[in-house]
């Protein structure tokens, strides 16, 4: 075998080819190291004396479905400068590894298209070996994402299991990459991120989040000059939750069975957008009947449609006028739910109107959270939490495509 094939096919250079053996369905290439290339692995000195060797075999890239191993007697040398006996460095494999660098690269290429289990079966190694290769690569590339160029970010939490287990995720809205994953949720989960952000001297201009007091306090304290943009989806979700509670209260307070029968089963009809409801004639009739018999519910329902228009104005000035008008109408409606929600919007109007200066939202982060859930479901969960976090930091490289 030529040394060129060893180099181009297996990434091995600077060794002498000895022989090839075929045993137990595997291919073994035996090599040796020339005496004049021996160096001290600590100081690099050439002034060394041989002191025996230790034979090792390294897994390499397979040939035609057959496993390949490179067998090398690793020389031990005494450095006459350091006065210590050490093994020499291996040119084609990292320390404490049982596989070559070319094998590692090949496994990482396969991991872009296959699961860890599939790659392990294909390369005839254990699942843990491939997982370790994958984790080391992720640590090298994603353990500390660069924050210097952050300008617009989104913050939200994601549930990762039963028992109120959460992770807080920060997304770079310009690149679509996750830049931080913290344990738990709320203000405490973001402390390490703020520390790193200050050291990076990043100039964050806008932050998209929900109206959680914890996030508002954390962003205001750590990024006082950044615009806080409250996500439209979360504002409308909060209103829909209040609308559902109002329907439930009206159902409990109904004095006759007719009103109860009309209100029963109308929750999803209330929450659907009108353009989606028009295609369901029977559902539309049920909703109209419920709204005719319940004035507070009717008022809240149509006020919801007006609230959606806050984000559809020509500019921030028109949006402010529309929002203030909505708040005045809600306060004068006589419906307790609307009055309380109007107070909430009055307190958070600055973040809602900030959308017209920075038209961002947590929508991309919601999409990333869905990818995280898909990844977790496909893996049937992650036992290694650090590995799970690294996979989240690298999730923007993941591609989900239909097969067939």
């Amino acid at each position: 075998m030529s040394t060129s094939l060893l180099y181009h096919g297996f990434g091995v250079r600077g060794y002498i080819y000895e022989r090839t053996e075929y045993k137990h369905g595997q291919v073994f290439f035996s090599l040796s190291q020339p005496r004049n290339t021996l160096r001290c692995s600590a100081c690099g000195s050439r002034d060394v004396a041989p002191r025996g060797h230790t034979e090792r075999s390294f897994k390499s890239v397979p040939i035609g479905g057959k496993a390949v191993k490179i067998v090398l007697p690793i020389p031990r040398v005494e450095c006459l400068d350091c006065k210590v006996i050490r093994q020499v460095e291996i040119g084609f494999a990292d320390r404490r590894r049982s596989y070559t660098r070319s094998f590692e690269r090949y496994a990482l290429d396969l991991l872009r298209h296959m699961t860890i289990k599939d790659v392990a079966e294909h390369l005839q190694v254990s699942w843990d070996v491939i997982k370790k290769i994958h984790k080391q690569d992720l640590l090298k590339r994603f353990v500390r994402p660069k924050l210097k160029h952050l300008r617009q970010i989104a913050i939200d939490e994601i549930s990762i299991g039963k028992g109120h287990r959460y992770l807080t995720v920060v997304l770079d809205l310009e690149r679509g990459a996750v830049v931080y994953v913290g344990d738990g949720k709320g203000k405490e989960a973001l402390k390490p991120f703020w520390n790193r952000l200050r050291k990076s001297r990043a100039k964050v201009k806008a932050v998209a989040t929900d109206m959680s007091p914890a996030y508002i306090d954390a962003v205001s304290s750590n990024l006082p000059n950044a615009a806080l943009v409250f996500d439209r989806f979360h504002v409308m979700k909060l209103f829909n939750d209040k609308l559902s509670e109002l329907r439930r209260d009206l159902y409990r307070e109904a004095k006759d069975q007719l009103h109860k029968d009309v209100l029963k089963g109308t929750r999803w009809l209330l929450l659907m957008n009108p353009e989606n409801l028009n295609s369901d004639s029977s559902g539309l009739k049920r909703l109209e009947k419920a709204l005719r018999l319940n004035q507070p519910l009717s008022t809240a329902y149509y006020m919801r449609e007006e609230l959606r228009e806050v984000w559809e104005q020509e500019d921030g000035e028109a949006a402010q006028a529309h929002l203030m008008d909505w708040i005045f109408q809600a306060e004068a409606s006589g419906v307790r739910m609307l009055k309380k929600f109007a107070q909430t919007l009055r307190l958070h109007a600055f973040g809602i109107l900030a959308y017209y200066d920075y038209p961002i939202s947590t929508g991309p982060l919601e999409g990333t959270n869905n990818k995280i859930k898909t990844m977790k479901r496909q893996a049937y969960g992650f036992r290694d939490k650090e590995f799970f976090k690294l996979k989240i930091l690298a999730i923007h490289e993941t591609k989900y495509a239909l097969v067939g």
Side-chain angles (χ1 to χ4, degrees):
M1 176 187 287
S2 73
T3 54
S4 294
L5 181 57
L6 278 173
Y7 172 58
H8 292 289
F10 303 98
V12 177
R13 181 171 61 178
Y15 295 87
I16 299 172
Y17 167 71
E18 298 291 345
R19 62 186 178 276
T20 302
E21 297 177 285
Y22 305 94
K23 297 184 293 186
H24 312 297
Q26 300 181 67
V27 183
F28 293 82
F29 295 131
S30 293
L31 311 177
S32 62
Q33 185 165 356
R35 170 69 179 81
N36 62 349
T37 62
L38 298 180
R39 302 283 187 277
C40 174
S41 58
C43 66
S45 172
R46 297 185 181 184
D47 195 7
V48 295
R51 292 292 184 267
H53 64 266
T54 302
E55 187 171 277
R56 287 186 60 192
S57 63
F58 300 87
K59 195 90 173 177
S60 191
V61 180
I63 298 176
K66 291 186 179 295
V68 173
K69 288 190 175 180
I70 293 176
V71 181
L72 175 67
I74 304 174
R76 292 170 59 83
V77 297
E78 180 181 359
C79 179
L80 302 180
D81 293 334
C82 300
K83 306 301 181 183
V84 178
I85 298 176
R86 297 184 177 91
Q87 286 187 349
V88 300
E89 286 190 350
I90 306 165
F92 53 83
D94 294 327
R95 291 182 180 182
R96 299 182 180 87
R97 297 288 187 269
S98 60
Y99 44 81
T100 66
R101 293 192 188 99
S102 60
F103 178 88
E104 185 176 352
R105 288 192 296 269
Y106 183 50
L108 290 172
D109 285 340
L110 292 177
L111 283 168
R112 296 192 182 98
H113 312 284
M114 302 162 64
T115 65
I116 293 177
K117 181 181 177 182
D118 292 334
V119 175
E121 290 178 354
H122 174 67
L123 297 179
Q124 301 176 43
V125 294
S126 70
W127 182 92
D128 297 283
V129 170
I130 302 302
K131 185 248 184 174
K132 185 176 181 179
I133 290 174
H134 194 17
K135 185 175 180 179
Q136 289 298 324
D137 177 64
L138 293 174
L139 278 169
K140 192 184 302 180
R141 297 191 295 134
F142 297 107
V143 68
R144 290 182 68 84
K146 294 181 179 179
L147 307 180
K148 184 178 180 180
H149 301 293
L150 286 183
R151 296 294 178 267
Q152 298 179 354
I153 61 175
I155 304 173
D156 201 1
E157 70 271 355
I158 179 174
S159 174
I160 58 169
K162 296 179 180 178
H164 300 287
R165 294 166 54 209
Y166 292 92
L167 290 176
T168 297
V169 181
V170 180
L171 183 77
D172 179 358
L173 290 173
E174 293 181 337
R175 294 193 304 120
V178 175
V179 293
Y180 174 76
V181 182
D183 293 317
K185 64 176 183 176
K187 190 176 181 179
E188 293 299 317
L190 288 166
K191 275 188 176 180
F193 174 70
W194 301 131
N195 292 334
R196 286 194 55 217
L197 194 64
R198 277 192 291 272
K199 292 177 182 178
S200 70
R201 297 183 180 180
K203 297 179 181 178
V204 178
K205 295 182 178 179
V207 182
T209 182
D210 58 26
M211 294 190 294
S212 164
Y215 288 155
I216 295 172
D217 184 33
V219 175
S220 302
S221 302
N222 294 279
L223 295 172
N225 297 323
L228 188 58
V229 183
F230 295 133
D231 181 62
R232 171 181 182 172
F233 168 80
H234 285 95
V235 175
M236 295 308 303
K237 181 179 181 299
L238 181 61
F239 187 90
N240 284 336
D241 291 342
K242 300 299 182 183
L243 185 62
S244 295
E245 290 177 12
L246 175 63
R247 184 203 68 85
R248 197 180 303 118
D249 292 341
L250 290 172
Y251 180 84
R252 285 198 298 264
E253 295 169 3
K255 296 179 180 180
D256 57 78
Q257 192 61 38
L258 174 63
H259 280 71
K260 288 189 174 183
D261 292 340
V262 170
L263 286 171
K264 189 174 182 180
T266 58
R267 180 189 175 196
W268 297 112
L269 296 174
L270 285 167
L271 300 184
M272 287 179 67
N273 291 333
E275 56 268 22
N276 299 328
L277 188 61
N278 289 334
S279 59
D280 184 2
S281 58
S282 61
L284 184 60
K285 290 179 181 178
R286 286 187 60 203
L287 177 61
E288 289 175 345
K289 187 175 182 180
L291 295 178
R292 282 198 305 270
L293 292 176
N294 295 274
Q295 185 59 42
L297 188 65
S298 176
T299 302
Y301 177 79
Y302 290 114
M303 288 288 287
R304 185 192 70 163
E305 300 312 307
E306 290 186 20
L307 181 60
R308 291 172 61 192
E309 295 179 4
V310 169
W311 290 271
E312 298 171 4
Q313 302 301 309
E314 294 181 357
D315 52 40
E317 188 176 340
Q320 183 177 9
H322 186 87
L323 179 60
M324 291 300 105
D325 182 60
W326 191 96
I327 291 172
F328 292 143
Q329 288 186 53
E331 291 173 338
S333 66
V335 180
R336 187 160 59 91
M337 182 276 283
L338 287 175
K339 288 181 178 181
K340 291 185 68 175
F341 198 79
Q343 293 174 5
T344 301
L345 292 189
R346 189 181 290 278
L347 290 173
H348 298 87
F350 68 96
I352 295 172
L353 298 173
Y355 173 81
Y356 284 88
D357 294 321
Y358 296 96
I360 59 175
S361 74
T362 60
L365 183 50
E366 293 293 337
T368 298
N369 285 346
N370 287 334
K371 290 178 73 174
I372 293 171
K373 291 175 184 176
T374 300
M375 178 180 69
K376 182 173 175 287
R377 187 166 57 250
Q378 288 178 335
Y380 290 91
F382 287 83
R383 291 172 293 175
D384 186 341
K385 195 171 185 180
E386 183 187 19
F387 182 52
F388 183 37
K389 288 182 178 180
L390 289 168
K391 291 282 286 181
I392 293 174
L393 290 169
I395 203 164
H396 60 283
E397 293 185 347
T398 307
K399 293 180 174 61
Y400 294 92
L402 296 175
V403 178

